[in-house]
Amino acid sequence: AAGVIQSPRHLIKEKRETATLKCYPIPRHDTVYWYQQGPGQDPQFLISFYEKMQSDKGSIPDRFSAQQFSDYHSELNMSSLELGDSALYFCASSLGAKTNGYTFGSGTRLTVV
Amino acid sequence: AQKVTQAQTEISVVEKEDVTLDCVYETRDTTYYLFWYKQPPSGELVFLIRRNSFDEQNEISGRYSWNFQKSTSSFNFTITASQVVDSAVYFCALSDTGTASKLTFGTGTRLQVTL
Protein backbone atom coordinates (compact mmCIF):
# COMPACT_ATOMS: atom_id res chain seq x y z
CA ALA A 1 0.00 0.00 0.00
CA ALA A 2 1.15 3.52 -0.73
CA GLY A 3 2.51 5.42 2.23
CA VAL A 4 3.37 9.02 2.99
CA ILE A 5 6.53 9.96 1.12
CA GLN A 6 8.89 12.56 2.49
CA SER A 7 11.91 13.94 0.78
CA PRO A 8 14.73 14.28 1.33
CA ARG A 9 15.39 11.75 4.08
CA HIS A 10 18.41 13.64 5.31
CA LEU A 11 19.46 17.24 4.83
CA ILE A 12 22.45 19.16 6.04
CA LYS A 13 22.37 22.93 5.86
CA GLU A 14 24.44 25.75 7.21
CA LYS A 15 23.13 28.46 9.48
CA ARG A 16 21.15 31.16 7.68
CA GLU A 17 20.51 28.92 4.70
CA THR A 18 17.10 27.88 3.41
CA ALA A 19 15.60 24.39 3.30
CA THR A 20 12.55 22.95 1.60
CA LEU A 21 10.98 19.73 2.80
CA LYS A 22 8.45 17.88 0.69
CA CYS A 23 5.58 15.60 1.61
CA TYR A 24 3.44 13.45 -0.65
CA PRO A 25 0.37 12.16 1.19
CA ILE A 26 -1.39 8.89 0.69
CA PRO A 27 -3.59 9.07 -2.44
CA ARG A 28 -7.03 10.53 -1.68
CA HIS A 29 -5.90 11.88 1.68
CA ASP A 30 -6.87 15.54 1.78
CA THR A 31 -5.14 16.62 4.99
CA VAL A 32 -1.47 17.07 5.69
CA TYR A 33 0.19 17.80 9.02
CA TRP A 34 3.75 18.82 9.80
CA TYR A 35 5.47 17.99 13.08
CA GLN A 36 8.91 18.83 14.42
CA GLN A 37 10.69 16.46 16.78
CA GLY A 38 13.82 17.75 18.46
CA PRO A 39 16.38 15.33 19.97
CA GLY A 40 14.81 13.46 22.88
CA GLN A 41 11.55 15.36 22.48
CA ASP A 42 8.03 14.43 21.49
CA PRO A 43 6.72 15.55 18.10
CA GLN A 44 5.38 19.08 18.16
CA PHE A 45 2.65 20.18 15.80
CA LEU A 46 3.67 22.90 13.35
CA ILE A 47 0.90 23.36 10.81
CA SER A 48 -1.81 21.53 8.91
CA PHE A 49 -3.68 21.86 5.65
CA TYR A 50 -7.10 20.59 4.72
CA GLU A 51 -8.17 20.72 1.09
CA LYS A 52 -5.25 23.01 0.26
CA MET A 53 -6.19 25.58 2.88
CA GLN A 54 -4.35 26.11 6.14
CA SER A 55 -6.35 24.37 8.81
CA ASP A 56 -4.45 24.88 12.05
CA LYS A 57 -1.23 26.39 13.20
CA GLY A 58 0.95 25.38 16.09
CA SER A 59 4.30 26.59 17.30
CA ILE A 60 5.70 27.31 13.86
CA PRO A 61 8.35 30.04 13.68
CA ASP A 62 7.71 33.00 11.39
CA ARG A 63 10.79 31.91 9.44
CA PHE A 64 8.89 28.81 8.34
CA SER A 65 6.11 28.71 5.80
CA ALA A 66 4.19 25.89 4.22
CA GLN A 67 1.57 25.23 1.63
CA GLN A 68 -0.43 22.44 0.12
CA PHE A 69 -0.58 22.26 -3.65
CA SER A 70 -3.34 21.26 -6.06
CA ASP A 71 -2.08 17.67 -6.12
CA TYR A 72 -2.25 17.67 -2.29
CA HIS A 73 1.47 17.42 -1.76
CA SER A 74 2.87 19.88 0.74
CA GLU A 75 6.13 21.74 1.17
CA LEU A 76 7.63 23.19 4.32
CA ASN A 77 9.97 26.09 3.63
CA MET A 78 12.44 27.05 6.31
CA SER A 79 14.55 30.19 5.99
CA SER A 80 17.36 31.73 8.02
CA LEU A 81 18.06 28.35 9.54
CA GLU A 82 19.30 28.22 13.10
CA LEU A 83 21.14 25.47 14.96
CA GLY A 84 17.97 24.87 16.99
CA ASP A 85 16.07 23.93 13.84
CA SER A 86 18.00 20.66 13.74
CA ALA A 87 15.32 18.05 14.20
CA LEU A 88 13.33 15.28 12.64
CA TYR A 89 10.46 16.69 10.61
CA PHE A 90 7.48 14.45 10.11
CA CYS A 91 4.65 14.79 7.70
CA ALA A 92 1.41 12.91 8.27
CA SER A 93 -1.71 12.60 6.17
CA SER A 94 -5.30 11.68 6.86
CA LEU A 95 -8.77 11.90 5.44
CA GLY A 96 -9.77 15.21 7.03
CA ALA A 97 -13.29 14.42 8.05
CA LYS A 98 -12.37 11.03 9.44
CA THR A 99 -9.65 10.87 12.00
CA ASN A 100 -9.13 7.19 11.30
CA GLY A 101 -5.53 7.51 12.01
CA TYR A 102 -2.65 9.58 10.95
CA THR A 103 -0.17 7.93 8.64
CA PHE A 104 3.27 9.33 9.18
CA GLY A 105 6.08 9.53 6.68
CA SER A 106 9.54 8.33 7.60
CA GLY A 107 10.62 11.87 8.37
CA THR A 108 13.31 14.24 7.16
CA ARG A 109 16.28 14.61 9.44
CA LEU A 110 17.53 18.17 9.17
CA THR A 111 20.92 19.04 10.56
CA VAL A 112 21.95 22.68 10.70
CA VAL A 113 25.68 23.25 11.11
CA ALA B 1 -6.44 22.56 25.91
CA GLN B 2 -5.37 18.97 25.53
CA LYS B 3 -2.58 17.38 27.48
CA VAL B 4 -1.05 13.92 27.57
CA THR B 5 1.16 12.80 30.42
CA GLN B 6 3.49 9.85 30.31
CA ALA B 7 5.09 9.89 33.71
CA GLN B 8 7.52 7.06 33.01
CA THR B 9 10.49 8.50 31.20
CA GLU B 10 12.39 5.27 30.88
CA ILE B 11 11.70 1.64 31.72
CA SER B 12 14.14 -1.26 31.60
CA VAL B 13 12.98 -4.84 31.67
CA VAL B 14 14.47 -8.23 30.98
CA GLU B 15 13.16 -10.17 28.03
CA LYS B 16 9.97 -12.13 28.69
CA GLU B 17 8.86 -9.76 31.43
CA ASP B 18 5.52 -8.01 31.11
CA VAL B 19 5.60 -4.23 31.10
CA THR B 20 2.90 -1.55 31.30
CA LEU B 21 3.31 1.94 29.93
CA ASP B 22 1.09 4.54 31.55
CA CYS B 23 -0.76 7.34 29.80
CA VAL B 24 -3.01 9.93 31.40
CA TYR B 25 -4.77 12.57 29.35
CA GLU B 26 -6.71 15.78 29.80
CA THR B 27 -9.31 17.16 27.45
CA ARG B 28 -12.49 19.18 27.60
CA ASP B 29 -13.88 17.42 24.54
CA THR B 30 -16.63 14.89 25.10
CA THR B 31 -15.46 12.82 22.15
CA TYR B 32 -11.86 12.27 21.24
CA TYR B 33 -9.38 9.73 19.96
CA LEU B 34 -6.45 8.19 21.76
CA PHE B 35 -3.44 6.69 20.03
CA TRP B 36 -0.24 4.82 20.73
CA TYR B 37 2.79 5.10 18.47
CA LYS B 38 6.09 3.27 18.57
CA GLN B 39 9.31 4.99 17.55
CA PRO B 40 12.17 2.50 17.13
CA PRO B 41 15.79 3.66 16.95
CA SER B 42 15.43 4.07 13.19
CA GLY B 43 13.15 7.03 13.90
CA GLU B 44 9.90 6.38 12.10
CA LEU B 45 6.57 6.63 13.93
CA VAL B 46 4.71 3.35 13.81
CA PHE B 47 0.97 3.41 14.47
CA LEU B 48 -0.14 0.86 17.05
CA ILE B 49 -3.73 1.64 17.96
CA ARG B 50 -6.50 4.21 17.83
CA ARG B 51 -9.27 4.20 20.43
CA ASN B 52 -12.47 6.21 20.26
CA SER B 53 -13.58 7.79 23.52
CA PHE B 54 -16.97 6.13 23.48
CA ASP B 55 -15.48 2.66 23.15
CA GLU B 56 -14.10 1.55 26.48
CA GLN B 57 -13.56 -2.05 25.51
CA ASN B 58 -10.08 -3.21 26.14
CA GLU B 59 -8.18 -4.45 23.14
CA ILE B 60 -5.64 -7.17 22.64
CA SER B 61 -3.42 -7.63 19.64
CA GLY B 62 -0.95 -10.44 20.02
CA ARG B 63 1.40 -9.52 22.86
CA TYR B 64 -0.02 -6.00 23.05
CA SER B 65 -3.04 -4.96 25.08
CA TRP B 66 -4.60 -1.64 25.94
CA ASN B 67 -6.66 -0.65 28.95
CA PHE B 68 -8.84 2.42 28.49
CA GLN B 69 -10.41 3.83 31.65
CA LYS B 70 -12.44 6.92 30.97
CA SER B 71 -13.16 7.41 34.66
CA THR B 72 -9.47 7.94 35.38
CA SER B 73 -8.58 9.43 31.96
CA SER B 74 -6.02 6.74 31.38
CA PHE B 75 -5.07 4.67 28.36
CA ASN B 76 -2.39 2.24 29.43
CA PHE B 77 -0.43 -0.09 27.19
CA THR B 78 0.85 -3.50 28.23
CA ILE B 79 3.39 -5.62 26.42
CA THR B 80 3.31 -9.24 27.49
CA ALA B 81 6.45 -11.35 27.31
CA SER B 82 8.57 -8.46 26.09
CA GLN B 83 11.20 -8.97 23.42
CA VAL B 84 14.35 -7.09 22.53
CA VAL B 85 12.63 -5.84 19.36
CA ASP B 86 10.15 -4.01 21.57
CA SER B 87 12.91 -1.61 22.59
CA ALA B 88 11.73 1.80 21.40
CA VAL B 89 10.18 5.04 22.53
CA TYR B 90 6.42 4.77 22.88
CA PHE B 91 4.19 7.80 22.53
CA CYS B 92 0.62 8.18 23.67
CA ALA B 93 -1.33 10.84 21.77
CA LEU B 94 -4.73 12.51 21.75
CA SER B 95 -6.85 14.31 19.17
CA ASP B 96 -10.36 15.66 19.03
CA THR B 97 -12.80 14.29 16.48
CA GLY B 98 -13.11 17.40 14.34
CA THR B 99 -11.94 17.70 10.77
CA ALA B 100 -8.20 17.78 10.36
CA SER B 101 -7.54 17.57 14.08
CA LYS B 102 -3.93 17.58 15.15
CA LEU B 103 -2.31 15.08 17.49
CA THR B 104 -1.08 16.10 20.90
CA PHE B 105 1.69 13.78 22.02
CA GLY B 106 2.91 12.81 25.44
CA THR B 107 6.61 13.07 26.16
CA GLY B 108 7.13 9.40 25.47
CA THR B 109 8.43 6.42 27.43
CA ARG B 110 11.69 4.82 26.41
CA LEU B 111 11.49 1.06 26.82
CA GLN B 112 14.71 -0.93 26.97
CA VAL B 113 14.38 -4.69 26.80
CA THR B 114 17.55 -6.64 27.54
CA LEU B 115 18.43 -10.30 27.34
Side-chain angles (χ1 to χ4, degrees):
Chain A
V4 177
I5 306 298
Q6 288 189 248
S7 68
R9 289 296 308 275
H10 301 273
L11 191 58
I12 299 176
K13 291 285 186 179
E14 295 189 355
K15 282 196 315 184
R16 293 180 288 277
E17 283 193 320
T18 299
T20 298
L21 278 52
K22 297 185 179 182
C23 171
Y24 296 86
I26 289 174
R28 291 186 298 281
H29 277 194
D30 51 15
T31 307
V32 167
Y33 312 79
W34 286 96
Y35 291 83
Q36 177 192 56
Q37 185 180 25
Q41 307 289 316
D42 54 291
Q44 294 291 316
F45 171 71
L46 292 178
I47 195 167
S48 63
F49 294 88
Y50 169 60
E51 282 293 345
K52 293 158 276 185
M53 299 286 288
Q54 183 179 306
S55 174
D56 196 1
K57 201 170 181 180
S59 47
I60 183 169
D62 292 340
R63 299 177 289 107
F64 293 8
S65 65
Q67 59 180 327
Q68 187 178 32
F69 294 85
S70 57
D71 64 351
Y72 293 98
H73 94 272
S74 178
E75 295 184 4
L76 177 65
N77 297 294
M78 310 157 69
S79 63
S80 302
L81 287 168
E82 302 173 357
L83 296 178
D85 296 328
S86 296
L88 194 51
Y89 290 83
F90 286 105
C91 171
S93 74
S94 71
L95 274 172
K98 295 183 182 181
T99 319
N100 282 329
Y102 305 78
T103 304
F104 281 85
S106 298
T108 293
R109 187 171 296 279
L110 172 66
T111 303
V112 181
V113 297
Chain B
Q2 298 181 333
K3 185 179 179 182
V4 177
T5 301
Q6 295 179 254
Q8 304 150 308
T9 305
E10 199 159 336
I11 301 175
S12 290
V13 298
V14 176
E15 207 178 35
K16 296 191 179 65
E17 285 185 358
D18 298 347
V19 59
T20 295
L21 310 182
D22 298 332
C23 173
V24 173
Y25 62 92
E26 295 174 32
T27 180
R28 283 181 284 206
D29 297 317
T30 53
T31 60
Y32 47 88
Y33 293 108
L34 293 162
F35 300 80
W36 276 95
Y37 283 87
K38 174 183 180 180
Q39 188 172 42
S42 51
E44 71 270 24
L45 283 167
V46 179
F47 169 79
L48 296 178
I49 189 171
R50 182 197 72 151
R51 172 62 66 201
N52 194 310
S53 56
F54 57 73
D55 181 2
E56 286 197 68
Q57 278 197 353
N58 291 328
E59 183 155 340
I60 298 175
S61 176
R63 296 184 297 108
Y64 295 170
S65 62
W66 291 269
N67 181 268
F68 177 33
Q69 300 265 357
K70 207 167 179 179
S71 59
T72 56
S73 297
S74 66
F75 186 44
N76 297 336
F77 172 34
T78 297
I79 301 175
T80 303
S82 60
Q83 299 176 2
V84 171
V85 292
D86 295 327
S87 297
V89 179
Y90 290 86
F91 290 100
C92 181
L94 170 69
S95 78
D96 63 42
T97 58
T99 299
S101 301
K102 66 180 183 290
L103 279 168
T104 297
F105 285 86
T107 50
T109 297
R110 180 177 298 279
L111 175 65
Q112 186 73 39
V113 183
T114 56
L115 293 171

